[in-house]
Amino acid sequence: MSAPVLVADIGGTNARFALAHLSDRGIEVEPPVVYRTAEHASFDDALQLFLASAGRLALSGVAACAAGPVEGEGQAARIDLTNFPWEVSVAALSRATGMANPSLVNDFAAVALAVPALGPHELHAIGPALVPVPGAPAGLLGAGTGLGMSAIIFGDGVENPVAGEGGHADLAANSAREAELIAHLRARHGHVSVERVLSGPGLIALYDALCALGGAEARQITPPGIAARAHSREDDIAVEAVQLFCGFLGSVAGNLALTLGAQGGIYIGGGIVPGWLAQHPGLFDEALFRARFEAKGRMSHWLARVPVFVIRREDAALLGLARLAFRTSR
């Protein structure tokens, strides 16, 4: 077995570090060590802590991803987290590991690199059991602390991830109720992005806006609390917030499919939707999502043939990073 690679998935809430090995069975990613970002002063501190706990093993490669766009190239490449004041940089990775050329990519570009390696048991189909067109572009999006978006393009035998920041695109209304909601959010926040509602904080923003529009007193509530109250149907506002979330997500996913020509499928990651499937079966309204995904006028028939999957593998980003690290270490 060759020396392991170090992989790190850095988000606004959690920083995940793991070692991955290449064996006869393929790439095996060890269970990650997870640190709360708020409990550490910097990415460098968390990285050094992990390396010390791992015994500072010899490595054959390093790859990291973070939630934000990559700025700069080579040793100057870095990501300033969109939703937390950390900088993740190639220079820091090199200093800590001694590796000359670590890879640094956007977090959803890392998930995109995992898609070709995911098995059927790691995917949950939304809607009919459609088959992706081999070699066609695929799109990815997922809600967590923010909303990530990316694509994977295939050409000349190479998998090319394309990082995007579509979570910051404008949110569009598809009903009078959604228009009323967006108008309320615009009055409060100015620009209303997709991420403004399709994220953990966005779910709270939806809930608070519905309280305000209905004249109800807002409560202190968390995204898991909204999901639990909606699933038990004890809170009508929570139920509507989740329904709006599912509808908006379907529309945004359909837009992504049209933009990319994603006959290779749309893949949903992030923490929220996979978490709902695991913890609150039936909460994610798949029929509503699929209806909004396909509701694109003259292109509805085209979208009806595009498969959509929820990624059920929790360490998909780490798997994608491991594939990248082993590829670039050769």
Side-chain angles (χ1 to χ4, degrees):
M1 184 179 291
S2 63
V5 297
L6 166 67
V7 290
D9 175 15
I10 312 302
T13 303
N14 294 311
R16 296 176 173 84
F17 298 89
L19 297 173
H21 306 268
L22 192 59
S23 71
D24 293 341
R25 294 185 296 274
I27 293 175
E28 299 178 8
V29 182
E30 293 184 8
V33 174
V34 183
Y35 302 130
R36 298 281 292 182
T37 53
E39 296 175 1
H40 299 273
S42 66
F43 166 70
D44 304 55
D45 289 349
L47 174 59
Q48 291 287 359
L49 181 62
F50 173 76
L51 290 171
S53 69
R56 298 194 177 276
L57 299 170
L59 300 169
S60 62
V62 176
C65 68
V70 178
E71 303 284 352
E73 298 180 355
Q75 284 292 315
R78 73 179 197 284
I79 294 175
D80 295 317
L81 293 187
T82 303
N83 294 302
F84 194 77
W86 270 16
E87 177 188 90
V88 180
S89 68
V90 166
L93 290 165
S94 290
R95 282 196 306 270
T97 65
M99 300 297 296
N101 298 299
S103 296
L104 179 63
V105 296
N106 170 266
D107 58 341
F108 262 74
V111 178
L113 284 166
V115 164
L118 295 174
H121 65 287
E122 296 170 320
L123 299 169
H124 172 83
I126 297 180
L130 302 169
V131 178
V133 175
L140 298 94
L141 75 165
T145 305
L147 183 88
M149 199 174 291
S150 67
I152 186 164
I153 310 296
F154 304 91
D156 298 325
V158 179
E159 302 160 359
N160 299 294
V162 180
E165 290 296 329
H168 301 281
D170 296 332
L171 182 68
N174 279 266
S175 68
R177 181 62 161 167
E178 291 181 358
E180 180 185 30
L181 180 77
I182 291 172
H184 174 84
L185 292 171
R186 185 179 298 114
R188 181 174 180 183
H189 301 287
H191 178 236
V192 182
S193 67
V194 170
E195 184 176 275
R196 180 63 66 188
V197 302
L198 295 179
S199 61
L203 192 58
I204 296 173
L206 281 173
Y207 188 90
D208 288 347
L210 291 172
C211 287
L213 291 172
E217 184 176 348
R219 67 172 70 236
Q220 291 293 319
I221 196 165
T222 63
I226 293 171
R229 293 175 70 84
H231 190 239
S232 65
R233 306 196 74 80
E234 64 186 274
D235 184 336
D236 290 343
I237 295 175
V239 170
E240 186 178 5
V242 168
Q243 285 288 294
L244 284 163
F245 185 101
C246 295
F248 277 128
L249 186 63
S251 291
V252 171
N255 290 343
L256 179 61
L258 288 174
T259 301
L260 294 173
Q263 292 180 309
I266 293 293
Y267 294 79
I268 299 173
I272 293 179
V273 175
W276 287 355
L277 290 182
Q279 299 164 24
H280 302 293
L283 178 62
F284 183 62
D285 192 331
E286 298 185 26
L288 172 60
F289 172 94
R290 190 77 210 192
R292 289 284 293 270
F293 178 80
E294 296 178 15
K296 303 296 182 185
R298 289 172 292 174
M299 293 304 294
S300 294
H301 68 286
W302 187 89
L303 284 162
R305 301 195 299 270
V306 176
V308 179
F309 304 98
V310 177
I311 298 173
R312 306 199 77 157
R313 178 165 175 156
E314 293 184 3
D315 68 345
L318 296 176
L319 173 63
L321 289 171
R323 298 181 78 231
L324 175 62
F326 282 118
R327 187 173 78 189
T328 55
S329 66
R330 292 170 186 166

